[in-house]
Amino acid sequence: MSSKQKERAASHAGSWYSDEAPELERQLDRWLSQVEVRHGPARAIIAPHAGYRYSGAVSAYAFRQISPVLVKRIFILGPSHHVRLGGCALTSLREYATPLYSLVVDQQVCAELYATGHFETMSVTADEEEHSIEMMLPFIARVMDRFRDQVTIVPILVGSLTVEREAMYGRVMSHYLADPTCLFVISSDFCHWGQRFRYTPQLDRNSFNGPIYRWIQELDQQGMDLIEAQSTSGFSDYLKKTGNTICGRHPISVLLQAMSYLQRQQQQLHQQSSSGGSSSGGSSNSSSPGPPILEMKLKFLQYAQSNNCSSNSDSSVSYAAAALTMH
């Protein structure tokens, strides 16, 4: 790679999705047109990152909830599939190419994140090999088309984080989540079932007697319920107990931690304001209502599997779409 390279190539175009702009536009428009705005405007979404022939229709349920007129910055959190990473990494490039047009990386926000001391830089090779972030880009480009000149992106590669590091990155991200002009795109597939994924847990036939694909759906539903409940500890315990192969579990957990931290901050401010305390050290006999606390609702909108597994020789990947609103 040239040391002067400034743009990330659309390395999976032509294989995972179309590299022809007119065809890609038609596909994206068709999927998006088949979905209604049911839970928007979204402040964050969860969308799958498989090839579009498998997951494009599901992804549309998440991206359709975005109100492009409100969005200025888009944070894209994708799990690392190829590079061992104990934290999070940012890109060294200035633009990300798509077959539609190039998306501009927000250099100011990247500098702010580097200043925290908690982010490293991914190599160009690692950047272009990773598909979890790239598979979000064509949808982003299409949804933001009319406002392409006003939007920037912040791609973040998320490694295998400890619970403590998920909380730390959540605190960092909460500042941006509080900004209504910022959108978070969380890239994740759900259960990867099959011998090729090294995940074929023994089913307890005393409690479940249905086909494997139904068991997978129930397993994923348990995780989705905990995510909707915004239970950081519950989701973490569920992953430890089941070992469910949700590849974006760490980006999802960072979002949940950011939401939790933001809610705690708001509750503290509300209590301080309502207490009628005085910064001058005096007392006050009156109290005023604190600032309203944002109501956060995270809701799953669609779910599908790539294949209906009926035996341990089968394999499948699950796809789910969700949106977060804050009012």
Side-chain angles (χ1 to χ4, degrees), residues 6 37 72 106 122 125 179 187 192 258 302:
K6 299 299 182 184
V37 178
K72 304 293 184 184
D106 195 311
M122 51 180 144
T125 300
D179 184 344
S187 174
H192 297 61
Q302 184 68 336

Side-chain angles (χ1 to χ4, degrees), residues 243-279:
N244 193 4
T245 47
I246 302 173
C247 56
R249 56 193 175 277
H250 297 298
I252 291 171
S253 295
V254 170
L255 174 65
L256 293 177
Q257 291 285 359
M259 294 165 60
S260 176
Y261 186 77
L262 184 56
Q263 286 176 323
R264 292 196 302 272
Q265 274 192 321
Q266 290 184 325
Q267 289 167 355
Q268 289 174 357
L269 289 172
H270 185 83
Q271 291 170 356
Q272 291 171 2
S273 179
S274 298
S275 69
S278 171
S279 60

Side-chain angles (χ1 to χ4, degrees), residues 162-172 253-254 257-258 261:
T162 63
V163 172
E164 292 75 20
R165 299 209 86 185
E166 289 171 348
M168 180 271 291
Y169 283 110
R171 289 194 297 272
V172 173
S253 295
V254 170
Q257 291 285 359
Y261 186 77

